[in-house]
Amino acid sequence: MGGAVPEVWISAADGCDMVRADAVVVFRMDNTGRLTAQLRDEAKVSVTLLEGSSGKGHPPADFHRRLARAIAELGDSSGAHLIRAENRDGAWSWVTEPL
């Protein structure tokens, strides 16, 4: 494979931390909508990407799959990008922006 591989970063739940997408080996989403990413390291560190909610505000059940799809699509782009979750009027989406 030739050329530079684009950097894709995912914003963590607090909005202050970012995780490099190629460091993630597993996404887990529980029934409350809490989304975590397990990182590729010996300690099996997990990072919370979205906090769970017991109300109507949690993301759809396939939201982690949508994240994987967004990461794959950005793999065909150039430059570094940030992906962050957004809830606008009850509709959840992954928003991408250049870094």
Side-chain angles (χ1 to χ4, degrees), residues 51-98:
E51 293 293 341
S53 168
S54 58
K56 295 185 217 176
H58 63 79
D62 70 340
F63 204 54
H64 59 308
R65 292 180 185 201
R66 295 181 195 182
L67 174 56
R69 185 177 318 122
I71 292 168
E73 289 171 356
L74 285 173
D76 292 336
S77 66
S78 63
H81 290 84
L82 174 69
I83 302 175
R84 62 181 171 77
E86 183 175 87
N87 182 351
R88 188 173 287 181
D89 298 325
W92 283 91
S93 63
W94 290 105
V95 177
T96 63
E97 57 191 60

Side-chain angles (χ1 to χ4, degrees), residues 12-27:
D14 62 9
C16 296
D17 294 327
M18 298 185 311
V19 176
R20 191 165 164 158
D22 65 358
V24 175
V25 292
V26 176
F27 290 124

